[in-house]
Amino acid sequence: MRIILDTNVVVSGIFFHGPPYQILDIWRKGEIHLIVSEEIFDEYLRVGELLALQFPPVDPLPVLTLLKANSEIVVAERLPAPVSDDPDDDKFLACALAAKCTLIVSGDKHLLKVSGFEGIKVLKPREFLNAFFDNKMAPLKTVLSGDK
């Protein structure tokens, strides 16, 4: 499965636990393939470095270096006209179009609002996990909830 991760998912997955972390873990296990453009990767770096200043024990660079080395990198042309209410988010849609990818995982309200554009679905991290990996996440849910 080929997907694009919004910056909020990647950075949250590096610095915190929860669904974004689980998605990065699934990627590390080779169960999904990430697609990025240079513009998206640059944003991952910029935001990761800013957050690292707030959480100095965490260094996002090793994960981001691994991500770049093990992702499909595409050249994405800018969209001819803004699609999202936040035009800065259009780079994710442009990347999806360039890669012929139909799934973006994001918690960004502007991207979620344009889900369906050109057949590209935008899912929140938990929705993505529930839709595609619920059975694989079941043991983790059991451990976290304390159920046996």
Side-chain angles (χ1 to χ4, degrees):
M1 173 184 302
R2 298 165 68 240
I3 66 169
I4 296 167
L5 297 179
D6 187 8
T7 306
N8 59 39
V9 177
V10 171
V11 173
S12 293
I14 293 171
F15 285 88
F16 309 107
H17 291 287
Y21 175 84
Q22 292 171 333
I23 292 168
L24 287 182
D25 192 46
I26 290 167
W27 164 72
R28 281 189 287 264
K29 292 175 182 173
E31 297 181 44
I32 57 175
H33 300 283
L34 301 183
I35 302 168
V36 299
S37 66
E38 287 294 335
E39 187 178 9
I40 290 172
F41 186 76
D42 289 347
E43 184 172 284
Y44 291 169
L45 278 175
R46 184 178 51 76
V47 175
E49 289 171 354
L50 286 173
L51 204 52
L53 296 174
Q54 295 176 30
F55 299 95
V58 179
D59 181 4
L61 198 53
V63 174
L64 292 174
T65 301
L66 186 65
L67 187 146
K68 187 170 187 180
N70 293 290
S71 295
E72 179 182 338
I73 300 173
V74 299
V75 175
E77 299 292 326
R78 290 192 182 268
L79 299 178
V83 174
S84 171
D85 289 340
D86 180 357
D88 193 45
D89 290 334
D90 284 354
K91 67 179 153 283
F92 297 97
L93 298 167
C95 183
L97 290 173
K100 295 181 173 65
C101 176
T102 59
L103 184 59
I104 298 172
V105 180
S106 176
D108 185 283
K109 65 182 178 182
H110 300 112
L111 277 174
L112 290 164
K113 188 176 174 182
V114 297
S115 182
F117 170 76
E118 297 289 331
I120 301 166
K121 183 118 176 118
V122 182
L123 294 177
K124 291 180 180 179
R126 172 54 58 204
E127 291 173 332
F128 169 73
L129 290 172
N130 288 343
F132 297 101
F133 292 95
D134 195 45
N135 291 334
K136 293 184 182 203
M137 292 290 108
L140 182 57
K141 290 179 186 176
T142 301
V143 169
L144 292 176
S145 67
D147 296 339
K148 303 230 178 208

